[in-house]
Amino acid sequence: MDRTSLMTGIEKNWEKFLSMPVSEKLPFFSRDSKIYDCLFAQQFDRASLSHIFSVADTLRTITKNKEGMDFAGSLLSHKRAMLYFVQPSTRTFLSFLNACHILGIKTGEIRDTSTSSELKGETPEDTVRTFSSYVDMIIMRHPTPNFVEKTAWLMNRTNRPVPVINGGSGKDQHPTQALLDVYTLHKSFSGEIDNKTIAMVGDLKRGRTVRSLSYLMKNYKNIKLIFISPKEFAMEKDILDFLKKHNIPFYETDNFREGIAQADAVYMTRIQDEHDKNKESAGVDISSFEFKTEHLNIIKKNAVIMHPLPRRSEIDPLVDEDPRAVYWRQERNGMWARAALISHIFSVDGQILKHK
Ligand code: NCD
């Protein structure tokens, strides 16, 4: 689809656009049959995932020396990006910032709406539209579900669209976290994600990372999912319906020990109490959903323990010493996976793969 037909074809009413099935919206967020705005985990298919992983692997190899780093830093030195992160972030922000710098992209940032004209009464929509007057890409994290999608929709209806990347939107989606999570599985299991059993633990109801990761599982064969949570924080029906539709078997349990013992990957998460409206989390006992050193004896010998971080008490820091704990590697993988994604969006991924 070319730009003109995209602009005329795009639904002009936001509420109507929002209510369309994701599969029907994807063309508006793609260019040249590939991702342009990265908003949903459903945008990745098996081929694009494996391509992005190869680019990430190549990039990390070639940047081990100055010549390679200079090459990578020249690829997008003509581009500028805005990081609009108005919700707390350490890893996602820093890994995107450094991913941009690896590729030579110059960056600006807003991390607090009190420093922008939103304080003077400007709408968030007008604020983000302003960015596209100055930069070539917007990477954003926002507390309001669907706001990142709304930004991309808005941009695509202007005559100066720029790609928008979702760095976490409310409790809805976190597609690039899912990308780095699967990249971590890929590296941990020597490229073999098929046939694995993955246990997701904690606040599955409001954890956007586990929601996005569940969507990505449709790209692999014979995956089994175990959702381990207190019943108050069980996985939402929309995800369970998606898994049923794609014939991905899952079961839900509150038995932590039994669940993790069967898993090839144990994906721990924290309680997302920033979404509490009436202190819902306060009454829930999560002590039996915490990974302690004693649990190292019951998980499989080749299992991996993951966490999007930040952690609270979900994983005892003593567990970090076990070689199966991969969460610190996982956060570093995020920078490379994000750099690879950005190189793909700006079509310099081919140059990376060709570099000797
Ligand atoms: C996650 C997030 O922000 O959703 N963190 C991250 O991006 N690494 C998970 C969390 O905050 O619990």
Side-chain angles (χ1 to χ4, degrees):
M1 226 186 285
D2 65 25
R3 265 243 30 91
T4 323
S5 55
L6 257 174
M7 279 176 76
T8 47
I10 198 163
E11 171 56 60
K12 291 188 177 61
N13 178 304
W14 162 243
E15 297 301 331
K16 275 198 199 150
F17 182 79
L18 180 64
S19 67
M20 284 162 56
V22 168
S23 55
E24 280 175 32
K25 298 188 220 182
L26 293 187
F28 299 109
F29 301 123
S30 315
R31 301 279 186 284
D32 307 323
S33 314
K34 64 176 185 147
I35 295 176
Y36 179 78
D37 301 297
C38 178
L39 308 171
F40 319 105
Q42 297 94 310
Q43 285 175 280
F44 295 108
D45 58 20
R46 190 172 173 124
S48 62
L49 289 168
S50 112
H51 172 71
I52 290 170
F53 301 161
S54 312
V55 177
D57 285 341
T58 311
L59 199 52
R60 57 204 301 180
T61 309
I62 63 185
T63 52
K64 284 196 195 307
N65 60 44
K66 180 169 175 357
E67 182 275 321
M69 198 47 118
D70 289 346
F71 160 77
S74 71
L75 288 171
L76 293 171
S77 53
H78 56 308
K79 299 284 183 197
R80 294 182 303 279
M82 169 56 85
L83 279 77
Y84 180 72
F85 273 61
V86 294
Q87 211 189 9
S89 178
T90 304
R91 273 149 285 271
T92 308
F93 177 80
L94 284 177
S95 63
F96 266 121
L97 185 78
N98 285 288
C100 286
H101 293 170
I102 288 168
L103 297 168
I105 301 175
K106 295 164 190 81
T107 51
E109 62 187 71
I110 289 185
R111 301 206 60 182
D112 184 349
T113 52
S114 70
T115 64
S116 85
S117 282
E118 285 179 60
L119 206 68
K120 299 183 195 167
E122 185 173 54
T123 60
E125 287 81 358
D126 281 2
T127 300
V128 292
R129 186 166 177 174
T130 300
F131 300 156
S132 78
S133 300
Y134 306 124
V135 300
D136 306 292
M137 171 170 63
I138 300 172
I139 303 168
M140 64 191 287
R141 166 170 288 197
H142 205 276
T144 312
N146 309 314
F147 186 73
V148 185
E149 180 186 344
K150 188 174 188 184
T151 303
W153 168 80
L154 242 156
M155 291 295 155
N156 283 322
R157 301 187 56 243
T158 69
N159 53 13
R160 196 180 184 284
V162 298
V164 176
I165 302 184
N166 183 356
S169 55
K171 51 188 174 182
D172 182 35
Q173 279 244 15
H174 196 351
T176 65
Q177 177 70 43
L179 176 71
L180 76 92
D181 292 340
V182 177
Y183 181 45
T184 302
L185 290 170
H186 167 85
K187 291 192 85 63
S188 305
F189 299 132
S190 313
E192 263 306 313
I193 304 179
D194 292 337
N195 307 310
K196 296 291 185 292
T197 297
I198 298 170
M200 302 188 196
V201 186
D203 189 344
L204 308 180
K205 186 182 175 70
R206 305 173 301 178
R208 54 193 173 194
T209 65
V210 282
R211 292 175 54 81
S212 289
L213 185 57
S214 300
Y215 283 126
L216 279 195
M217 290 300 115
K218 81 159 193 327
N219 296 306
Y220 298 96
K221 293 190 196 117
N222 196 25
I223 296 288
K224 292 187 196 70
L225 296 178
I226 308 174
F227 294 129
I228 310 171
S229 73
K231 62 178 180 325
E232 293 84 348
F233 297 128
M235 187 56 98
E236 292 275 24
K237 186 173 174 305
D238 61 337
I239 299 288
L240 303 183
D241 287 345
F242 175 89
L243 297 172
K244 284 179 200 154
K245 186 170 155 207
H246 292 276
N247 294 318
I248 302 170
F250 64 87
Y251 83 86
E252 301 179 86
T253 176
D254 59 4
N255 189 330
F256 179 70
R257 291 180 71 90
E258 197 184 281
I260 63 169
Q262 301 168 53
D264 298 298
V266 179
Y267 192 100
M268 302 292 296
T269 67
R270 77 177 167 89
I271 297 298
Q272 310 279 311
D273 47 14
E274 65 269 40
H275 298 298
D276 278 9
K277 290 201 179 74
N278 298 308
K279 298 204 164 115
E280 296 89 320
S281 314
V284 183
D285 178 13
I286 53 150
S287 57
S288 56
F289 299 90
E290 294 177 343
F291 201 111
K292 312 262 191 244
T293 47
E294 75 205 52
H295 297 122
L296 290 168
N297 301 325
I298 60 172
I299 61 168
K300 290 186 184 173
K301 264 218 298 292
N302 299 321
V304 289
I305 309 159
M306 298 171 68
H307 195 306
L309 301 175
R311 75 172 146 192
R312 292 176 182 160
S313 55
E314 309 82 55
I315 305 182
D316 183 333
L318 287 174
V319 172
D320 298 8
E321 290 159 29
D322 191 281
R324 291 169 293 180
V326 299
Y327 28 91
W328 297 110
R329 257 181 276 163
Q330 186 183 350
E331 76 169 13
R332 190 166 162 77
N333 287 341
M335 177 175 74
W336 298 110
R338 287 172 170 136
L341 171 68
I342 295 169
S343 76
H344 181 57
I345 290 174
F346 285 114
S347 304
V348 292
D349 44 348
Q351 290 180 62
I352 293 172
L353 290 177
K354 272 197 228 117
H355 186 81
K356 295 263 169 352

